[in-house]
């Protein structure tokens, strides 16, 4: 008979030899005699192995709105609640510094402690599925005012606004407004920079409901009046491009184009077209910013007075009709010529004009 005494033991995760001692007894007539010494005993110990307990932990997810303060989600669940040994507990340390908007993994540092607070983590095979913490921007409402101006070539803006929903200790540190110069309408846009109590830019942590006012520039009324002109007919074209402008923006200039002209006897409106520029260098055409009224003068060419004198001549009667178509002219336009028609003729002795 063999008596075996096993002395090997393994409690924590790991492996060790299954040590033991043996005694060989001879049992005869109710008594046992130790005969171990009669044997050449070779003992081959086995191995004792304690494996880790599988433990799957899932941290919870959270959707939150930015508050300017740290946001955390310190809850979790076990896939198999019975996997944790009696007297053991989980210590989970979660991140507590999540302030800015964004999406983060809800990671925790996991330890397993026993009833005495000793670390038993090494006895568990821990797998984790991390939840998600999503911090969304805080909503604010921004309202701007409206404004209307008559065009004057200047930049115009209305630098007033209200904001609702700003977190305590946060303030607007900078406001940049849109401006308008030319005729038309535009939203009174504003770009705000928001800072916290430490002066840090936290603008990206807000979502803006913008209710913008309207900026409007209306056309500037201006009247252009052309002058008159009167000439005696001389065969040349005449014009008068001189204008007077009423209510033009100071510093603005204009260029007259397609000015009317006149050559022949009669009258004609002194019509014109023009472009208006913002300076004498014609840097920018600003005609569209004006409501233009035109008052046309009158161009007139009057008849030219000339004097035609026919000359004298005399003939000795010869029974034929005689014509003398030679004359002198005073005040005829240079390079113009005169041709006499239906001239008088004379045949018989006498005089005719």
């Amino acid at each position: 008979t063999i008596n075996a005494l096993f002395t090997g033991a393994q409690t924590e995760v790991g492996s060790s030899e299954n040590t033991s001692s043996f005694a060989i007894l001879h049992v005869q007539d109710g008594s046992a005699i130790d005969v171990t010494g009669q044997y050449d005993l070779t003992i081959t110990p086995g191995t004792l192995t304690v494996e880790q307990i599988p433990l799957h932990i899932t941290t919870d997810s959270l959707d939150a709105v930015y508050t300017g303060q740290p946001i955390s989600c310190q809850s979790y669940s076990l896939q198999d609640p019975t996997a944790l040994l009696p007297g053991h507990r989980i210590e989970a340390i979660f991140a507590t510094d999540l302030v800015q908007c964004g999406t983060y993994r809800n990671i925790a540092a996991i330890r397993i402690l026993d009833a005495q607070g000793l670390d038993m983590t090494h006895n568990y095979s821990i797998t984790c599925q991390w939840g998600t913490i999503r911090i969304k921007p805080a909503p604010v409402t921004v309202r701007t005012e409206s404004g209307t101006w008559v065009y004057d070539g200047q930049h115009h803006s209305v630098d007033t606004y209200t904001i609702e929903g700003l977190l305590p200790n946060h303030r607007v540190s900078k406001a940049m407004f849109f401006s308008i110069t030319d005729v038309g309408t535009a939203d009174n846009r504003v770009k705000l920079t928001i800072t916290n109590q430490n002066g840090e830019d936290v603008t990206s942590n807000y979502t803006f409901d913008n209710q913008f006012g309207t900026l409007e520039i209306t056309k500037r009324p201006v009247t252009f009046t052309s002058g008159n002109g009167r000439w005696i007919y001389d065969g040349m074209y005449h014009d008068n491009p001189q204008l007077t402008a009423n209510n033009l923006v100071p510093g603005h200039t204009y260029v007259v184009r397609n000015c009317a002209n006149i050559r022949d006897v009669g009258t004609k409106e002194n019509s014109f077209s023009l472009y208006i520029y913002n300076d004498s260098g014609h840097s920018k055409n600003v005609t569209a910013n004006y409501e233009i009224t035109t008052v046309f003068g009158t161009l007139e060419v009057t008849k030219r007075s000339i004097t035609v004198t026919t000359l004298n001549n005399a003939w000795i009667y010869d029974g034929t009709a005689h014509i003398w178509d030679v004359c002198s002219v005073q005040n005829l336009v240079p390079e113009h010529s005169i041709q006499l028609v239906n001239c008088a003729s004379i045949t018989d002795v006498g005089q005719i004009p």
Side-chain angles (χ1 to χ4, degrees):
T1 302
I2 298 176
N3 283 346
L5 176 62
F6 291 94
T7 57
Q10 183 71 28
T11 303
E12 301 295 321
V13 169
S15 299
S16 62
E17 286 186 348
N18 187 14
T19 57
S20 59
S21 61
F22 295 90
I24 301 174
L25 304 175
H26 175 68
V27 179
Q28 185 177 0
D29 299 328
S31 61
I33 301 172
D34 187 343
V35 294
T36 306
Q38 306 301 317
Y39 288 88
D40 184 10
L41 186 62
T42 300
I43 300 174
T44 303
T47 300
L48 301 178
T49 300
V50 176
E51 296 181 345
Q52 290 179 316
I53 301 172
L55 189 68
H56 184 76
I57 298 175
T58 301
T59 60
D60 291 341
S61 295
L62 174 68
D63 279 353
V65 175
Y66 172 76
T67 64
Q69 302 299 320
I71 292 174
S72 64
C73 177
Q74 302 191 23
S75 57
Y76 59 87
S77 61
L78 296 178
Q79 188 179 59
D80 180 7
T82 64
L84 201 63
L85 294 181
H88 285 193
R89 61 185 175 88
I90 295 175
E91 179 185 77
I93 301 175
F94 289 83
T96 58
D97 60 349
L98 303 180
V99 177
Q100 307 300 322
C101 289
T103 301
Y104 309 89
R105 289 194 302 166
N106 190 18
I107 298 175
I110 304 294
R111 288 202 309 164
I112 310 297
L113 305 178
D114 65 9
Q116 288 73 43
L118 298 178
D119 193 340
M120 295 288 109
T121 309
H122 60 280
N123 292 311
Y124 290 85
S125 175
I126 301 174
T127 57
C128 296
Q129 181 175 338
W130 306 123
T132 299
I133 295 178
R134 183 163 47 243
I135 303 177
K136 298 180 290 185
V140 292
T141 300
V142 177
R143 296 181 179 89
T144 59
E145 303 295 327
S146 298
T148 301
W149 303 267
V150 175
Y151 174 75
D152 62 1
Q154 302 299 312
H155 299 292
H156 292 280
S157 62
V158 179
D159 300 345
T160 56
Y161 68 94
T162 60
I163 184 169
E164 298 174 0
L166 208 59
L167 293 175
N169 298 320
H170 286 195
R171 68 182 185 89
V172 175
S173 59
K174 183 186 295 184
M176 297 177 60
F177 283 86
F178 181 83
S179 66
I180 188 171
T181 303
D182 294 323
V183 167
T185 59
D187 288 339
N188 186 18
R189 294 183 173 275
V190 61
K191 181 180 180 182
L192 301 180
T193 299
I194 301 174
T195 52
N196 61 15
Q197 63 272 23
N198 300 319
E200 299 166 332
D201 188 338
V202 293
T203 310
S204 61
N205 293 304
Y206 286 91
T207 180
F208 294 86
D209 175 18
N210 294 314
Q211 299 178 16
F212 293 140
T214 301
L215 304 179
E216 181 180 17
I217 300 289
T218 60
K219 289 191 174 186
R220 185 182 188 90
V222 62
T223 300
F224 286 94
T225 303
S226 60
N228 299 318
R230 193 167 186 269
W231 300 268
I232 296 172
Y233 175 75
D234 60 2
M236 307 296 291
Y237 284 98
H238 296 278
D239 61 18
N240 181 4
Q242 299 303 312
L243 306 180
T244 57
N246 180 30
N247 203 34
L248 197 67
V249 172
H252 284 199
T253 60
Y254 57 89
V255 174
V256 178
R257 300 181 183 275
N258 302 319
C259 187
N261 57 48
I262 190 170
R263 182 186 64 179
D264 297 326
V265 170
T267 59
K268 187 177 186 179
E269 280 189 339
N270 189 13
S271 60
F272 58 88
S273 62
L274 54 82
Y275 296 126
I276 304 174
Y277 294 93
N278 66 330
D279 57 28
S280 59
H282 301 169
S283 301
K284 179 182 178 182
N285 187 328
V286 294
T287 309
N289 292 307
Y290 285 90
E291 186 70 44
I292 299 174
T293 299
T294 54
V295 178
F296 297 142
T298 301
L299 304 179
E300 181 181 12
V301 173
T302 59
K303 289 186 176 183
R304 186 180 189 89
S305 298
I306 63 173
T307 301
V308 179
T309 304
T310 56
L311 301 184
N312 299 326
N313 204 353
W315 295 270
I316 297 173
Y317 175 77
D318 58 5
T320 62
H322 293 276
I323 297 173
W324 186 244
D325 56 359
V326 179
C327 64
S328 65
V329 182
Q330 295 179 344
N331 204 32
L332 191 66
V333 172
E335 298 184 356
H336 280 201
S337 61
I338 191 168
Q339 180 180 358
L340 299 180
V341 295
N342 299 321
C343 291
S345 65
I346 188 171
T347 302
D348 297 329
V349 172
Q351 292 182 339
I352 59 173

